[in-house]
């Protein structure tokens, strides 16, 4: 307490005034009044009144300090006392500095007649230094509280009677000797107290002794918070005065970036579940806020928030991102999906713009999450110096924000964040104590060009907020996101959380329209986007007068001229009527039908009142007859009143469909007024042959020697169409060389080639039978032949090559033709040609294959010594035979072309030399027989021999 300075105040009382001693103790005023036995109407002795002031507000200068206590805003003034009679008004003048002492007038009432008033004046006040304590603040300038430097005056008018009475004490009970006399009669604490008006408290001491405590509030100086956010005014416990406090405000966004309670910025890329906030000293049962991160890129180097978990007593609230990097959030309580708003067991969950908010009124805290960013706000008065986790320690000092679970301070918050991992059964790969999480590099090989969206934070768009919230840390986070994850548009989260922080400080920024659509936000049908909307959108069910918050939030709101019907009914209405289960707005007095209930919208608590829909009576329907049955149908005019009608179902009919023979089909018809059909078989108008149906004018195959067609004529007896047939016409003419021969399985014969057809050089045509030879009619040197080889006719052409002939070498008249009729020669004159080799060119034919060109072939020709003499001794003919035969030969090869198109290699004998050689002489008969056998060997040999003989 400050030093006490007794002050003597001279008093000039009225005729009924008595000496009064007043003591101000510990900010309170105690009045004691003593009455003497002597009374005089002419004069009254004057005794000084001693006022002792203890614990009053002094003046002083406060140095720059950082403390955690609240900032006091009240002071107890030095109270000048004015003693008056009834019906009097007291006027006092007291100094009024910003946080200095105030003067509180107090009046005492006597029971005598009215008399002039006595005025007590305070000439001076003591000036002493005052220690001012600010809640979690670091003042940036010194300030002085001075008593008596600035005067202010006010008047208090009192009524005839007051609620304060004073007991008359014996004359010797109070010491009045000297100006410094101090009362000691009232030093005890009263046992009964009550509030007067305007924060004035009265305490009954004893025997009608009342202690009056006026509470006067002065505006406390506004401190500077370590997180650079504005402090918030907090009402004192007595509800009279207020002081400043720096709220515990932690945010996280992007991949992810954190801002601790005290404003320390860091980034952390862990993909496990971590503690954001827990109490150091547990005061709240099962309380904490946790975050579940996941890798949000294909490289698994950065993470994003996926679920925010809030635990309070028996409830666990999970706010989970439905789709990565979106604002779609699902809320569950104890693993059950809940609809918003939700309120139970001291936890309230609701939507606020784009955010989902978990609010715990008992703790005066709220947690917001929108899928990309979160924020946690907690009051300093309840959580100051008692938080731990990734959000740090809330004490307005960043030095200990990176505190580990064991109380030590880590070198940086990235290392600290790893230690706040919790066991999560859904993430078996995560275990507390594993290797620390490494941060991705933001310095790639190629310099990173940050997104132009990040520049908005430093530009004119957000400039109105710069003086309230510095943008540099958010800009750093934005550049980090645009460089590490350039394709996820995560930089929007930095702008979003900065704009939300600005809105929390009372500065609303409409920024999404400046991002060229990259950070746009789409609203559902019937809602429109606003950057500056109310934290709690007014509804028809809420009281707008109770909403005094000036803070704003972005989100989707009802268009101007409309209002949200209710927080749990997401329907915008023009007039506040009713909204039912069909989500259609109704006006008061409107009647409608829904779910077969006749309803009316009434103004009042229940709103919609319904009663069952009444249907008109229907005529009874009788469904007699085979195949009929009753059915209930929807009435197109009144869907709530079904119609009972008769329907026909042919499956109920007993008559079966007959099976008709080929060429006939089933026809059915339902007689009027009946359900079941009547069946009969009727002709189809087709022809039938061998279990097949043929349409009229279509061909019908009866046999291949007839052409048959289905006609339109009907056989009266069978009622089927008649089939008409004609024999197949045959061709009996065959070209020369062909003969008409019957073919098995065919109706008509086929022309088959039986002779060779040869086209001569002069375009004439020769017909040769197999084995027949014929000279060209115009050239005896060309010989044609026909050979039948394996039922294949092959024709060949042979050219006779004449040996060199010199007519001058012939004797006159001896020129003649050789037997072949082609070559000229000299007629022999009793001379013999010696045995020698003769060459000729001809085609080689073998097994139906023929050489492509003429081949040079040799043969032996000439006469040898051959005679036949009669021997008398043997009495028979002696024969000596010699033959001109090959003496030496070689084997040569030639390529033959076959009718099938393929080729084959063929060997033949080439005569190199000839000589006369003895041979056995046989009779002509056996010789002829041998020649016949040789001729019949093969058709090819016969052809060669014929050509050879012809040549000779």
């Amino acid at each position: 307490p400050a030093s006490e300075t007794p002050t003597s105040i001279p008093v000039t009382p009225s005729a009924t005034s008595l000496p009064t001693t007043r003591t101000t103790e510990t900010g309170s005023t105690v009045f004691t009044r003593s009455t003497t036995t002597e009374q005089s109407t002419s004069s009254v002795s004057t005794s000084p009144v001693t006022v002792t002031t203890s614990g009053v507000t002094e003046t002083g200068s406060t140095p720059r300090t950082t403390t955690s206590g609240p900032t006091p805003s009240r002071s107890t003034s030095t109270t000048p006392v004015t003693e008056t009679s009834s019906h009097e008004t007291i006027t006092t003048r007291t100094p009024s500095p910003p946080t200095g002492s105030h003067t509180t007038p107090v009046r005492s009432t006597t029971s005598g007649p009215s008399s002039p008033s006595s005025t007590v004046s305070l000439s001076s006040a003591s000036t002493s230094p005052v220690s001012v304590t600010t809640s979690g603040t670091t003042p940036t300038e010194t300030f002085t509280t001075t008593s008596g430097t600035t005067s202010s005056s006010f008047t208090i008018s009192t009524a005839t009677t007051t609620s304060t009475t004073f007991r008359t004490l014996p004359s010797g009970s109070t010491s009045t000797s000297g100006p410094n006399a101090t009362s000691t009669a009232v030093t005890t604490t009263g046992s009964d107290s009550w509030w007067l008006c305007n924060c004035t408290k009265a305490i009954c001491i004893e025997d009608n002794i009342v202690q009056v405590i006026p509470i006067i509030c002065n505006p406390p100086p506004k401190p500077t918070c370590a997180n650079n956010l504005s402090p918030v005014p907090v009402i004192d416990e007595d509800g009279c005065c207020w002081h400043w406090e720096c709220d515990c405000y932690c945010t996280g966004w992007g991949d992810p970036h954190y801002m601790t309670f005290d404003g320390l910025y860091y980034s952390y890329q862990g993909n496990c579940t971590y503690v954001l906030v827990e109490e150091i000293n547990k005061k709240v049962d099962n309380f904490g806020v946790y975050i579940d991160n996941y890798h949000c890129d294909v490289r698994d180097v950065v993470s994003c928030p996926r679920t925010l978990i809030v635990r309070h007593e028996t409830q666990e609230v999970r706010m989970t991102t439905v789709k990565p990097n979106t604002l779609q959030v699902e809320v569950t309580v104890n693993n059950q999906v809940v609809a918003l708003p939700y309120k139970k067991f001291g936890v309230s969950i609701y939507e606020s713009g784009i955010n989902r908010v978990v609010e715990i009124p008992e703790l005066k805290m709220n947690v917001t999450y929108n899928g990309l960013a979160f924020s946690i706000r907690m009051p300093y008065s309840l959580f100051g110096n008692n938080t731990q986790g990734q959000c740090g320690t809330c004490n307005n000092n960043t030095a200990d924000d990176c505190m580990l679970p064991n109380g030590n301070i880590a070198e940086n918050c990235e290392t600290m964040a790893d230690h706040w991992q919790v066991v999560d059964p859904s993430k078996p790969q995560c275990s507390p104590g594993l290797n620390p999480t490494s941060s991705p590099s933001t310095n790639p090989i190629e310099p990173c060009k940050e997104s132009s969206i990040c520049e908005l934070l430093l530009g004119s768009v957000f400039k109105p907020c710069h003086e309230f919230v510095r943008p540099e840390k958010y800009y750093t986070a934005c550049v980090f996101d645009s460089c590490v994850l350039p394709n996820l548009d995560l930089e929007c989260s930095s702008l979003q959380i900065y704009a939300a922080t600005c809105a929390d400080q009372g500065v609303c920024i409409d920024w999404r329209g400046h991002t060229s659509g990259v950070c746009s936000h789409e609203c559902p049908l019937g809602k429109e986007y606003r950057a500056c909307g109310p934290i709690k959108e007014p509804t028809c069910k809420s009281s707008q007068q109770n909403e005094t918050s000036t803070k704003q939030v972005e989100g989707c709101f009802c268009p101007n001229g409309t209002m949200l019907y209710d927080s749990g009914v997401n329907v915008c209405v023009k007039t506040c009527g009713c909204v039912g289960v069909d989500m259609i707005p109704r006006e008061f007095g409107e009647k409608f039908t829904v779910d077969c209930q006749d309803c009316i919208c009434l103004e009042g608590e229940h709103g919609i009142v319904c009663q069952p829909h009444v249907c008109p009576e229907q005529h009874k329907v009788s469904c007699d007859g085979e195949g009929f049955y009753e059915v209930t149908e929807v009435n197109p005019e009144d869907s709530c009143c079904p119609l009972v009608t008769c329907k026909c179902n042919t499956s109920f009919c007993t008559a079966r469909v007959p099976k008709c023979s080929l060429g006939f089909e089933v026809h059915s018809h339902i007689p009027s007024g009946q359900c079941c059909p009547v069946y009969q078989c009727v002709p189809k108008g087709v022809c039938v042959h061998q279990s097949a149906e043929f349409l009229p004018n279509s061909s019908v195959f009866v046999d291949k020697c007839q052409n048959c067609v289905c006609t339109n004529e009907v056989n009266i007896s069978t009622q089927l169409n008649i089939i008409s047939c004609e024999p197949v016409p045959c061709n009996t003419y065959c070209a020369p060389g062909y003969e008409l021969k019957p073919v098995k399985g065919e109706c008509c014969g086929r022309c088959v080639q039986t002779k060779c057809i040869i086209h001569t050089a002069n375009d004439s045509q020769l017909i040769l039978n197999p084995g027949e030879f014929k000279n060209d009619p115009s050239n005896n040197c060309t010989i044609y032949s026909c050979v039948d080889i394996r039922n294949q006719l092959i024709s060949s052409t042979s050219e006779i090559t004449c040996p060199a002939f010199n007519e001058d070498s012939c004797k006159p008249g001896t020129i003649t033709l050789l037997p072949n009729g082609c070559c000229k020669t000299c007629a022999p004159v009793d001379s013999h040609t010696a045995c020698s080799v003769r060459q000729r060119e001809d085609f080689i034919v073998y097994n139906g294959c023929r050489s492509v060109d003429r081949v040079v072939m040799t043969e032996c020709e000439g006469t040898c010594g051959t005679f036949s003499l009669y021997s008398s001794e043997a009495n028979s003919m002696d024969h000596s035979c010699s033959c001109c035969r090959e003496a030496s030969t070689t084997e040569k090869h030639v390529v033959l072309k076959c009718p099938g198109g393929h080729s084959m290699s063929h060997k033949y004998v080439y005569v190199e030399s000839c000589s006369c050689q003895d041979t056995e002489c046989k009779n002509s008969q056996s010789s002829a027989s041998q020649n016949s056998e040789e001729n019949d060997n093969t058709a090819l040999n016969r052809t060669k021999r014929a050509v050879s003989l012809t040549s000779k």
Side-chain angles (χ1 to χ4, degrees), residues 145-433:
T145 303
T146 305
S147 174
T149 59
T150 304
S151 299
S152 62
S153 63
F154 54 90
T155 301
I156 299 178
S157 299
T158 60
T160 302
T161 61
T162 65
S163 61
T164 305
T165 60
F166 307 95
R167 183 177 65 84
T168 303
L169 301 178
S171 59
S173 62
T174 303
S175 173
T176 58
S177 61
N180 295 328
T182 304
S183 171
T184 60
V186 285
T187 58
T188 60
T189 303
S191 60
D192 192 14
S193 65
W194 64 95
W195 284 100
L196 303 178
C197 58
N198 298 328
C199 289
T200 302
K201 189 173 184 179
I203 301 177
C204 178
I205 303 300
E206 61 179 354
D207 297 333
N208 290 331
I209 299 175
V210 177
Q211 182 182 16
V212 178
I213 306 176
I215 299 177
I216 300 175
C217 304
N218 294 313
K222 191 173 184 179
T224 300
C225 297
N227 56 16
N228 292 323
L229 301 180
S230 298
V232 296
V234 179
I235 301 298
D236 293 343
E237 292 182 1
D238 55 19
C240 291
C241 300
W242 58 275
H243 60 277
W244 293 108
E245 286 185 3
C246 293
D247 268 353
C248 307
Y249 189 69
C250 175
T251 57
W253 71 95
D255 54 354
H257 311 285
Y258 293 87
M259 197 81 76
T260 66
F261 287 133
D262 296 332
L264 182 63
Y265 167 80
Y266 69 95
S267 297
Y268 177 65
Q269 312 303 329
N271 70 325
C272 298
T273 304
Y274 305 91
V275 176
L276 288 177
V277 183
E278 281 185 349
E279 289 184 301
I280 299 175
N281 300 316
K282 309 299 182 183
K283 299 179 181 179
V284 182
D285 185 30
N286 189 31
F287 171 75
V289 182
Y290 310 87
I291 188 169
D292 171 18
N293 291 338
Y294 75 105
H295 284 312
C296 52
D297 75 321
V298 295
R299 299 169 296 168
D300 291 345
V301 296
V302 296
S303 59
C304 299
R306 174 168 54 191
T307 302
L308 209 67
I309 306 167
V310 181
R311 291 177 182 169
H312 177 250
E313 295 181 350
T314 62
Q315 298 187 95
E316 180 182 272
V317 180
R318 286 179 174 262
M319 295 181 285
T320 304
T321 305
V322 176
K323 184 178 180 182
N325 301 326
T326 64
L327 300 179
Q328 302 177 26
V329 176
E330 180 184 74
V331 180
T332 63
V333 177
N334 295 338
N335 296 321
Q336 297 293 325
V337 179
V338 296
L340 303 185
Y342 170 91
K343 191 172 184 180
K344 191 175 183 181
F345 299 145
V347 175
S348 175
I349 313 172
Y350 57 90
E351 294 185 18
S352 178
I354 63 174
N355 302 310
R356 306 297 186 274
V357 182
V358 178
E359 192 174 78
I360 305 177
E362 177 188 1
L363 304 180
K364 301 177 184 178
M365 69 164 292
N366 64 66
V367 179
T368 67
Y369 183 62
N370 56 33
L372 297 178
F374 70 85
S375 67
I376 304 172
R377 179 179 291 277
M378 308 167 70
Y380 180 89
S381 58
L382 297 180
F383 293 94
N385 284 303
N386 194 32
T387 64
Q388 61 181 355
Q390 291 184 342
C391 281
T393 304
C394 179
N395 60 0
N396 210 41
N397 183 5
T398 59
D400 58 357
D401 277 2
C402 301
M403 187 174 69
L404 301 175
N406 59 10
N408 296 332
I409 307 301
E411 181 181 355
N412 55 66
C413 286
E414 288 80 1
T415 302
M416 171 272 292
D418 271 324
H419 289 77
W420 289 108
Q421 185 182 145
V422 298
V423 177
D424 188 345
S426 66
K427 292 187 172 183
Q429 77 279 7
C430 296
S431 178

Side-chain angles (χ1 to χ4, degrees), residues 526-528 530 537-538 556-565 570-573:
K527 294 280 188 91
E528 64 182 16
R530 290 184 204 161
E537 188 174 6
C556 297
F557 301 91
C558 289
N560 291 331
T562 64
M563 177 183 291
L564 190 66
Y565 180 75
N570 196 18
V571 176
C572 298
V573 296

Side-chain angles (χ1 to χ4, degrees), residues 640-931:
C640 295
C641 298
L643 297 176
V644 178
T645 59
C646 290
K647 289 292 183 180
C648 173
N649 188 345
T650 55
S651 63
F652 297 158
C653 299
T654 57
R656 294 291 175 254
V657 179
K659 185 176 181 180
C660 299
S661 58
L662 208 61
F664 293 84
E665 62 184 352
V666 177
H667 276 201
S668 65
H669 71 281
I670 300 176
S672 178
Q674 296 184 16
C675 172
C676 296
V678 176
Y679 302 102
Q680 59 180 353
C681 293
V682 297
K684 298 169 64 174
V686 296
C687 299
V688 176
H689 177 69
Q690 293 184 349
S691 302
E693 296 178 348
F694 299 88
L695 294 174
N697 300 321
S698 62
S699 297
V700 180
F701 180 79
V702 176
D703 61 60
K704 57 186 175 183
C705 296
Q706 295 185 84
N707 289 330
C708 300
V709 64
C710 177
T711 66
N712 288 311
E713 297 180 15
V714 178
N715 188 321
I716 298 176
S717 61
T718 62
Q719 294 185 331
L720 296 175
N721 290 29
I722 298 174
I723 298 175
S724 175
C725 297
E726 294 180 355
V728 174
C730 295
N731 181 20
T732 58
Y733 170 77
C734 290
Y738 289 83
E739 293 180 5
L740 186 65
K741 293 186 177 181
V743 179
K744 186 177 181 181
E746 296 291 338
C747 298
C748 299
R750 184 183 301 171
C751 291
V752 179
Q753 184 178 358
T754 56
K755 299 178 181 180
C756 293
I757 302 172
I758 301 174
H759 296 277
T760 63
N762 58 357
D763 293 334
S764 61
Q765 185 172 288
L766 293 177
I767 306 298
L768 299 181
N769 292 318
E772 184 179 1
F773 300 88
K774 185 175 290 186
N775 291 78
D776 191 309
S778 60
N779 183 4
N780 285 334
C781 292
T782 301
I783 301 174
Y784 301 102
S785 63
C786 178
V787 180
D788 184 355
I789 300 177
R790 298 178 184 175
N791 296 325
Q792 183 176 2
L793 295 176
I794 298 176
S795 61
S796 62
T797 302
S798 301
E799 297 288 342
I800 298 175
T801 301
C802 297
F805 173 71
N806 187 359
E807 293 184 358
D808 295 337
S809 62
C810 293
K811 293 181 179 181
T814 59
I815 298 175
T816 182
L817 293 175
L818 290 174
N820 57 23
C822 172
C823 299
K824 294 180 180 180
T825 186
C826 297
V829 182
D830 296 333
S831 61
H832 300 282
T833 302
C835 179
S836 62
V837 177
R838 186 173 73 87
Q839 291 184 346
R840 64 181 178 86
E841 292 183 358
D842 199 358
F843 293 96
I844 293 181
V845 178
Y846 178 75
N847 287 342
C849 301
R850 172 179 164 177
S851 61
V852 180
D853 299 318
R854 294 179 186 273
V855 179
V856 176
M857 294 182 291
T858 55
E859 55 189 21
C860 294
E861 185 180 35
T863 58
C864 294
T866 299
F867 63 88
S868 179
L869 297 176
Y870 176 76
S871 171
S872 58
E873 292 181 0
N875 193 23
S876 62
M877 295 294 295
D878 287 335
H879 302 281
S880 177
C881 296
S882 178
C883 180
C884 183
R885 299 183 63 177
E886 67 275 7
S888 62
T889 61
T890 58
E891 191 178 73
K892 291 191 176 185
H893 296 264
V894 66
V895 176
L896 304 183
K897 195 75 172 180
C898 299
H902 64 280
S903 301
M904 64 175 291
S905 178
H906 177 68
K907 296 183 292 185
Y908 69 97
V909 178
Y910 184 86
V911 179
E912 298 287 347
S913 61
C914 299
S915 63
C916 292
Q917 299 179 19
D918 292 336
T919 184
E920 181 180 0
C921 295
K922 295 182 180 180
N923 56 33
S924 59
Q925 209 171 26
S926 64
S927 177
S929 174
Q930 180 180 358
N931 289 339

